[in-house]
Amino acid sequence: MNTATPPHRLADVISAFEGMYPPSWAMSWDAVGLVCGDPGQSVRRVLFAVDPVAAVVDEALEWGADLIITHHPLMLRGVTSVAADTPKGNVVHRLIRAGSALYTAHTNADTAAPGVSDALARAVGLNGDLRPLDPDTTDPEGRRGIGRIGTLDQPMILHDFAAQVAQGLPATAPGIRVAGDLDRLVTTVAVSGGAGDSLLGAARAAGVDVFVTSDLRHHPASEFVEDPGPALIDTPHFASEWPWLADGAIHLADALARANGSDGANVEIRVSTIVTDTWSRAFSHI
């Protein structure tokens, strides 16, 4: 970072980022955008993370981040108080006292092309062309939408593909779960970062061999596999969305460079490696 060059304003960094992930692409129920921070403040360091939780705030403030960009919203559901003795209020107070801003890109990053599911697809080994699992009908090019469908370079059995998925994602206590014949041949794969059981029907209709997503509930998953169709791989929610952070960081750096030339590089960007998955330990019979 060139300290002789004036830092970017928060408003300019957000503008560059939103050129790739416009808030207008977010679902109507979502809460994206600037959570706290002065648009006129300076930004020299940006931290990307999945969750706006205390451990991430600790990391950001210790590093001296002026801006945290998270995938998950802090205020997705309405609150009536941000008192410092509440978890969400504590995050807000700490950030304001430190002069750090918090920004969220959630379903607008999910539907973007490339977006969250593109990064997940690459992480689990889909290297070719991708298409949306649930297309955004407002996109004339047909590239945006929730989830992605792609093809493996070489078919493999489900057992080996599941191992590849686990290897491609950050390690978490729960690991991944598989439903289906482990000897089944897998060629075509659907993925969706985050909770994806609302897309089970779309995965079946697409005729894929396996659907990789998170937060699959018992009854929908059980009914799905009873009626022959795609196998299922259930990943921890955090793990399925973490690969996008590096993409988001790269896109921000590129957008700042396009907007500001050589001065666009005058921001340090870091991806948090803190595992913020809710579950800290899994137990089972051996």
Side-chain angles (χ1 to χ4, degrees):
M1 183 175 67
N2 181 2
T3 56
T5 303
H8 297 289
R9 294 187 313 133
L10 174 60
D12 296 330
V13 175
I14 290 175
S15 177
F17 188 69
E18 289 182 346
M20 190 69 189
Y21 308 106
S24 61
W25 290 353
M27 301 290 189
S28 59
W29 50 262
D30 206 357
V32 302
L34 187 62
V35 178
C36 64
D38 180 352
Q41 73 184 67
S42 298
V43 174
R44 291 190 181 275
R45 288 181 168 176
V46 181
L47 178 70
F48 276 77
V50 175
D51 297 295
V53 294
V56 168
V57 174
D58 290 343
E59 178 185 15
L61 300 190
E62 182 178 346
W63 181 50
D66 306 296
L67 169 63
I68 307 171
I69 296 179
T70 63
H71 182 52
H72 289 149
L74 179 67
M75 305 289 188
L76 182 58
R77 293 179 177 83
V79 297
T80 57
S81 170
V82 289
D85 60 355
T86 65
K88 293 181 185 292
N90 183 260
V91 166
V92 172
H93 279 262
R94 291 182 66 196
L95 292 175
I96 290 175
R97 284 197 298 268
S100 295
L102 174 63
Y103 182 93
T104 295
H106 192 210
T107 53
N108 50 325
D110 287 329
T111 196
V116 170
S117 290
D118 296 271
L120 173 59
R122 303 306 183 204
V124 303
L126 301 176
N127 299 313
D129 293 335
L130 301 171
R131 66 184 190 276
L133 175 60
D134 182 21
D136 182 345
T137 57
T138 68
D139 177 18
E141 297 181 359
R143 297 178 61 242
R144 294 199 312 269
I146 303 298
R148 293 293 182 269
I149 299 171
T151 304
L152 294 171
D153 291 339
Q154 296 292 332
M156 62 179 69
I157 61 171
L158 178 61
H159 176 281
D160 294 345
F161 177 66
Q164 179 170 292
V165 170
Q167 188 65 32
L169 298 180
T172 57
I176 69 169
R177 303 183 295 178
V178 182
D181 179 359
L182 292 177
D183 291 324
R184 172 185 185 146
L185 196 63
V186 172
T187 300
T188 306
V189 180
V191 305
S192 183
D197 64 5
S198 64
L199 296 171
L200 287 170
R204 184 185 298 282
V208 300
D209 299 310
V210 61
F211 179 33
V212 181
T213 191
S214 305
D215 295 349
L216 291 173
R217 294 171 295 156
H218 172 79
H219 291 296
S222 176
E223 293 169 2
F224 186 81
V225 297
E226 282 294 304
D227 184 8
L232 297 175
I233 295 180
D234 184 47
T235 73
H237 193 123
F238 156 83
S240 71
E241 295 176 328
W242 185 84
W244 169 76
L245 302 181
D247 282 10
I250 290 170
H251 293 320
L252 175 59
D254 289 347
L256 288 172
R258 289 194 300 272
N260 302 283
S262 60
D263 291 343
N266 199 38
V267 174
E268 288 186 72
I269 304 175
R270 175 186 290 186
V271 171
S272 175
T273 57
I274 294 176
V275 175
T276 55
D277 187 64
T278 303
W279 310 108
S280 59
R281 187 73 180 269
F283 294 85
S284 63
H285 291 291
I286 298 177

